[in-house]
Amino acid sequence: MFNVIAEQMVHECNHMERETLELSAKGIELDEAISALKSLSAMGEAVTRLEHLRVQMDTEDMILRQMAQVLNKALLYYMNCENRVCNNAEQSVVTYAQRKTGLNRFSAIADILGGI
């Protein structure tokens, strides 16, 4: 049976969001380093490599943000669906009207039929 541990999903969502914030902070530091290196002579190759790394960091940051968003949406959809299933199960309780039962005396019927 399919089972989701919602608390674990929430924890992982929060972890991914913290990672994206850390990546953003590191990106700002890298931008500052690039701008400082641009002012120095003979740093063109290092600046080019660092700019390439910055593009890779931006890509990783974007992917991580999308993954966190997808996980968050999946959790919301799962919880919504689970709540609907529970509500439908609770609402579909059928109560039947009580019926009275009686006793038949077949010996009296047999006597009646025997007289015919």
Side-chain angles (χ1 to χ4, degrees), residues 55-102:
V55 169
Q56 287 178 338
M57 281 180 68
D58 285 341
T59 303
E60 292 290 327
D61 183 44
M62 180 186 64
I63 290 170
L64 193 57
R65 285 180 193 274
Q66 288 175 348
M67 287 172 54
Q69 185 179 14
V70 166
L71 185 60
N72 192 16
K73 287 283 188 183
L75 177 63
L76 289 174
Y77 289 142
Y78 177 80
M79 295 304 291
N80 186 17
C81 182
E82 188 176 81
N83 289 338
R84 279 187 298 152
V85 168
C86 289
N87 287 339
N88 286 342
E90 289 172 358
Q91 291 176 2
S92 66
V93 174
V94 178
T95 54
Y96 294 100
Q98 184 177 5
R99 302 276 182 181
K100 291 187 177 184
T101 58

Side-chain angles (χ1 to χ4, degrees), residues 4-46:
V4 169
I5 302 171
E7 291 177 21
Q8 182 68 29
M9 289 178 74
V10 169
H11 175 72
E12 291 304 320
C13 253
N14 291 335
H15 179 72
M16 279 194 250
E17 288 172 359
R18 283 192 306 272
E19 290 294 322
T20 58
L21 291 175
E22 189 175 322
L23 265 176
S24 295
K26 296 295 180 187
I28 292 170
E29 288 178 23
L30 188 57
D31 284 339
E32 290 171 357
I34 289 171
S35 65
L37 287 175
K38 281 183 178 180
S39 64
L40 300 175
S41 62
M43 290 293 166
E45 186 180 328

